[in-house]
């Protein structure tokens, strides 16, 4: 096959308009204050630098093949494709780019990638701090709203992802965390997935990465140095971070230099790794695995079609094999096209979209398919079920601006950091928003003083990362900016982003209609299980204890300003826009109500007044369960780590794919993304997703070699 990729880029003059200081500051959620216009002319001096910053070609040229498929997306980058291919990948997200790259290493294998979004790989999308702003249209980030959540004043969870080459790796926090070995040993021991123990998955983590920022690990052999995903420890110049390390030490947490060291402590304050190149640019799955250079080199047997959406898998009814995929133009329901697969079809659409495509194709629970008039092809009860997600609640302190990322609100500081980035690839714009994270097991936290116990009541080690009993179920992300949905005028905030990372609650993904362009109906599990609520209570108190210890070593006042027990009227003003967008119905009388999930009577007016006196007299010792519950109702959110809707299982009764990622009942249909996790990992999901894709590529190669296909 031959193809042509048209990748039109915005003219530099237009791009520079987007680089006005106010644009970037809004992007970083750091200020609504307008920087004087006389600073803007300084930015134009970077015009020639912008032309040379990109390390990737902007345009592929090859001899085009004119086919009807070339009509699919005339205004988007598109590789024109003709003829059947060995593999169809839907779409080119985080996992899809990995698979397409690995499988196309063999020139005898033809690969077609179908992607709804565009390439849109530009300079702005690779600035680490800037590219985490979901609101920028050039990042192709999309949000999906869940159904109203019971017990949360009608709020809906907002789940963000990205539609474009590289998927969510284009907009995430770039954190490369594997998770503790015990998590994967639990997959083997508890779920019977013996091919997915730590011993089996660990080589694939190493294969995918280039940990050039950790040369000391090379001799010990636990990090990889030959893979395409460049990463290094987070560099931070934010002055308040060292005091967080001291606070964590005071509650019994060790400092973990490398959280991806399998011998490291299961609990501790972790110096995180970030997927960033040596010149300070974001490393997405697209940039690492399927960039323009790689695609151009393999253009004879690798095709990528953007601006299209898969509408249905086409089956051979007699043999239960997938013949190909029906596609249509994204955003325009005109006609459909059929693309044929000679060997395999692999879904990499993510936790929300992979089950949607299966359901549209008649694969899933009978009761979820037949009401839409779709013929049942294969009954699999677990399709769209078992949705897992990390749930977060922000606890914020007010600290001096100079000690946080809010310092960039100063026009001169902003200009200085922009020049540092343009010339040297350093400065605040080259940093991550999360320089540290605390991982802890709730059962290891002492109920009385909220310190971390190195040994439990049975005298067992709580720090051994290899055993499932020590899997962290709480993460507190250290974010030196506001973690609230909106900026708070006049306040520079530091956030303890408190998260439940091993939830028991489960949600669902179901069809909203038979239109593949419509988002699926999402029922978010948001702390539905009382065990998760108990864990969140302890996590919030633990974060407040950390804040207390931080205040004891930090040389400036750092009062808690957003947390349980605060004036709810102040909180509601901050969340007013988000509440209106998500349809929340916050009670007019802002009193503390019944426990989460049991909305009903309110407490007395006196108790409500006490709750609204502010945080000055409240801390982890005095905060009440009711105050915590009401704060959770108003601020809890998805951490965008949804998983498990096509989960792996040895049984078709409670799973969708087997251990080789084949959909139960089919020989040539697989799923390879976060949806196959049996449970969500106790880590950020990018590295585990890449690992799954790497393994899937090997499964295919092994089977083809055995069959001599």
């Amino acid at each position: 096959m031959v193809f042509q990729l048209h990748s039109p880029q915005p003219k530099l003059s237009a791009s520079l308009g987007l680089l006005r200081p106010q644009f970037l500051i809004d992007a970083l959620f750091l200020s609504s204050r307008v920087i004087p216009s006389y600073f803007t002319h300084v930015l134009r001096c970077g015009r020639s630098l912008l032309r040379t910053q990109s390390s990737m070609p902007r345009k592929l040229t090859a001899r085009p093949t004119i086919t009807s498929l070339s009509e699919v997306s005339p205004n988007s980058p598109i590789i024109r494709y003709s003829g059947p291919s060995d593999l169809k990948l839907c779409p080119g997200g985080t996992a899809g780019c990995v698979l397409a790259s690995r499988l196309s290493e063999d020139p005898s294998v033809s690969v077609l990638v179908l992607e709804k979004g565009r390439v849109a790989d530009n300079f702005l999308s690779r600035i680490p701090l800037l590219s985490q702003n979901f609101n920028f249209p050039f990042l192709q980030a999309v949000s999906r709203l869940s159904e109203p959540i019971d017990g949360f004043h009608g709020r809906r969870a907002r789940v963000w992802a990205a539609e474009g080459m590289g998927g969510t790796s284009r907009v995430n926090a770039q954190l490369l965390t594997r998770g503790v070995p015990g998590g994967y040993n639990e997959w083997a021991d508890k779920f019977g997935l013996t091919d997915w123990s730590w011993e089996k998955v660990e080589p694939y983590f190493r294969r995918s990465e280039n940990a050039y920022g950790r040369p000391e690990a090379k001799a010990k052999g636990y990090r990889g140095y030959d893979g395409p995903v460049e990463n290094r420890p987070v560099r931070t110049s934010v002055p308040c971070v060292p005091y967080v390390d001291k606070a964590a030490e005071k509650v019994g947490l060790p400092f973990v230099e490398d959280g991806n060291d399998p011998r490291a402590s299961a609990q501790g304050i972790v110096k995180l790794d970030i997927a960033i190149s040596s010149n300070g640019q974001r490393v997405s799955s697209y940039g690492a695995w399927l960039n323009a250079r790689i695609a151009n080199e393999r253009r004879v047997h690798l095709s990528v079609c953007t601006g299209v959406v898969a509408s249905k898998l086409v089956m051979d009814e007699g043999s239960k094999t997938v013949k190909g995929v029906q596609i249509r133009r994204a955003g325009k329901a005109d006609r459909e096209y059929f693309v044929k697969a000679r060997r395999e079809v692999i879904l990499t659409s993510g936790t929300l979209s992979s089950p949607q495509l299966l359901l549209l194709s008649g694969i899933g629970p009978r009761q979820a398919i037949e009401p839409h008039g779709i013929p049942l092809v294969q009954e699999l009860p677990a399709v769209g079920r078992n949705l897992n997600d990390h749930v977060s609640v922000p606890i914020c302190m007010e600290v001096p601006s100079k000690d946080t990322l809010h310092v960039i609100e100063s026009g001169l500081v902003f200009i200085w950091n922009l020049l540092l980035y343009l010339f040297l690839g350093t400065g605040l714009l080259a940093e991550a928003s999360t320089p540290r994270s605390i991982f802890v097991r709730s059962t290891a936290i002492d109920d009385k003083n909220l310190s971390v116990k190195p040994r439990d009541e049975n005298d067992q080690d709580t720090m051994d990362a290899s055993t499932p009993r020590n899997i962290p179920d709480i993460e507190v992300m250290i974010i030196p900016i506001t973690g609230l949905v909106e900026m708070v005028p006049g306040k520079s905030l530091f956030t303890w982003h408190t998260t439940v990372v091993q939830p028991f609650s489960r949600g669902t993904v179901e069809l909203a209609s038979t239109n593949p362009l419509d988002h699926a109906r999402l029922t978010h599990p948001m702390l539905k299980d009382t065990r998760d609520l108990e864990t969140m209570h302890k996590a919030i108190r633990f974060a407040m204890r950390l804040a207390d210890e931080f205040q004891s070593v930090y040389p400036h006042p750092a009062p808690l300003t957003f947390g349980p027990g605060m004036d709810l009227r102040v909180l509601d003003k901050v969340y007013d826009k988000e509440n209106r967008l998500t349809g929340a119905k916050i009670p007019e009388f802002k009193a503390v109500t019944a426990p989460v999930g049991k909305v009903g009577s309110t407490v007395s007016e006196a108790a409500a007044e006490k709750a609204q006196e502010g945080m000055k007299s409240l801390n982890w010792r005095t905060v009440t369960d009711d105050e915590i519950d009401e704060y959770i109702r108003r601020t809890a959110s998805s951490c965008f780590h949804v998983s498990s809707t096509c989960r792996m299982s040895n049984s078709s009764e409670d799973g969708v794919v087997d251990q080789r990622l084949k959909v139960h009942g089919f020989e040539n249909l697989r799923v390879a993304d976060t949806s196959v996790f049996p449970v969500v990992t106790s880590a950020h999901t990018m590295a585990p997703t890449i690992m799954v894709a790497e393994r899937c590529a090997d499964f295919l190669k092994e089977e083809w070699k055995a069959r001599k296909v």
Side-chain angles (χ1 to χ4, degrees), residues 402-460:
K402 65 182 180 63
D403 285 358
T404 70
L405 290 173
H406 288 275
V407 69
I408 210 168
E409 291 179 18
S410 163
L412 289 175
V413 173
F414 174 81
I415 295 298
W416 172 245
N417 278 277
L418 179 62
L419 293 174
L420 284 175
Y421 187 79
L422 292 174
F423 283 94
L424 303 175
T426 61
L428 291 175
L429 294 178
E431 295 186 6
S433 61
T434 310
R436 299 278 194 278
S437 227
I438 290 170
F439 291 94
V440 65
R441 181 76 181 180
S442 59
T443 54
I445 300 175
D446 187 276
D447 290 330
K448 294 182 179 179
N449 60 23
L450 296 185
S451 61
V452 178
K453 300 176 293 185
R455 307 195 74 81
D456 63 19
E457 58 275 7
N458 298 318
D459 199 35
Q460 293 180 310

Side-chain angles (χ1 to χ4, degrees), residues 337-646:
Y337 304 82
F338 173 74
V339 285
K340 184 179 180 181
R342 281 194 292 251
R343 297 188 189 180
E344 300 256 355
V345 173
I346 308 168
L347 306 188
T348 56
S349 304
T351 293
L352 302 184
S353 296
S354 285
Q356 181 183 16
L357 183 54
L358 290 176
L359 292 169
L360 288 169
S361 306
I363 303 170
R366 181 184 298 273
Q367 66 273 20
I369 293 173
E370 290 184 341
H372 293 277
I374 300 171
L376 183 69
V377 174
Q378 178 77 21
E379 184 161 16
L380 285 178
V383 173
R385 303 297 189 255
N386 303 303
L387 185 142
N388 260 186
D389 192 11
H390 295 164
V391 175
S392 298
V393 172
I395 307 295
C396 299
M397 311 172 70
E398 188 172 4
V399 298
S401 173
K402 65 182 180 63
D403 285 358
T404 70
L405 290 173
H406 288 275
V407 69
I408 210 168
E409 291 179 18
S410 163
L412 289 175
V413 173
F414 174 81
I415 295 298
W416 172 245
N417 278 277
L418 179 62
L419 293 174
L420 284 175
Y421 187 79
L422 292 174
F423 283 94
L424 303 175
T426 61
L428 291 175
L429 294 178
E431 295 186 6
S433 61
T434 310
R436 299 278 194 278
S437 227
I438 290 170
F439 291 94
V440 65
R441 181 76 181 180
S442 59
T443 54
I445 300 175
D446 187 276
D447 290 330
K448 294 182 179 179
N449 60 23
L450 296 185
S451 61
V452 178
K453 300 176 293 185
R455 307 195 74 81
D456 63 19
E457 58 275 7
N458 298 318
D459 199 35
Q460 293 180 310
D461 184 4
T462 66
M463 302 292 179
D464 181 1
S466 66
T467 177
R469 71 170 182 272
N470 291 334
I471 300 172
D473 58 357
I474 293 171
E475 179 184 8
V476 182
M477 287 173 262
I478 309 305
I479 303 178
I481 54 173
T482 178
L484 306 174
V485 295
E486 297 285 346
M487 292 298 302
V488 182
K491 292 188 181 294
S492 58
L493 299 177
F494 171 95
T495 303
W496 308 86
H497 208 59
T498 309
T499 310
V500 173
V501 294
Q502 286 288 279
F504 293 95
S505 304
R506 298 291 184 268
T508 60
V509 172
E510 300 171 297
L511 293 179
S513 74
T514 57
N515 186 347
L517 298 174
D518 292 341
H519 289 161
R521 179 179 292 113
L522 168 63
T523 301
H524 196 277
M526 191 71 71
L527 305 177
K528 181 169 60 177
D529 192 299
T530 56
R531 291 171 292 182
D532 295 337
L533 186 58
E534 291 169 1
T535 301
M536 182 61 85
H537 274 228
K538 180 172 276 192
I540 288 174
R541 285 190 167 93
F542 182 67
M544 295 175 75
R545 166 78 200 277
L546 285 165
D548 193 34
E549 296 297 345
F550 178 90
Q551 291 166 338
S552 71
V553 297
Y554 186 60
H556 307 287
L560 279 170
T561 52
F562 286 87
M566 69 173 294
D567 187 334
L568 297 179
R569 293 168 296 188
V570 174
L571 182 64
D572 290 342
K573 287 181 181 179
V574 175
Y575 277 77
D576 179 64
K577 180 180 178 181
E578 179 72 5
N579 287 336
R580 285 186 281 110
L581 289 173
T582 60
K585 305 295 183 184
I586 304 300
E588 184 176 351
F589 178 61
K590 308 299 191 298
V592 177
T593 61
V596 169
K598 300 179 181 178
V599 176
S601 61
T602 60
V603 299
S604 67
E605 186 173 348
E609 288 297 326
K610 177 181 181 296
Q612 295 174 355
E613 287 175 358
M615 295 291 295
K616 292 183 179 179
S617 62
L618 296 174
N619 56 40
W620 60 274
R621 296 182 180 87
T622 59
V623 68
T624 69
D625 286 346
D626 284 345
E627 290 166 341
I628 292 175
D629 280 338
E630 192 55 38
Y631 190 76
I632 290 172
R633 276 194 191 91
R634 285 164 155 80
T635 63
S637 64
S638 165
C639 204
F640 320 135
H641 295 160
V642 288
S643 75
S644 308
T645 52
C646 296

Side-chain angles (χ1 to χ4, degrees), residues 81-131:
Y81 160 82
S82 67
S85 63
D86 293 314
L87 296 120
K88 300 290 184 295
L89 295 169
C90 311
T94 302
C97 286
V98 177
L99 272 163
S101 183
R102 286 302 191 197
L103 295 172
S104 64
E105 289 172 347
D106 183 350
S108 69
V109 176
S110 59
V111 178
L112 171 64
V113 180
L114 303 171
E115 170 56 49
K116 184 178 181 180
R118 298 173 291 116
V119 177
D121 180 56
N122 54 56
F123 172 70
L124 293 176
S125 71
R126 294 193 299 275
I127 299 177
L129 202 57
L130 171 63
S131 58

Side-chain angles (χ1 to χ4, degrees), residues 183 185-194 506 647-650 654 659 678-679:
N185 290 334
E186 182 185 54
W187 288 14
D189 299 342
K190 182 177 179 179
F191 298 100
L193 304 173
T194 53
R506 298 291 184 268
R647 73 174 181 178
M648 197 187 322
S649 173
N650 294 320
D654 66 352
Q659 293 197 63
V679 291

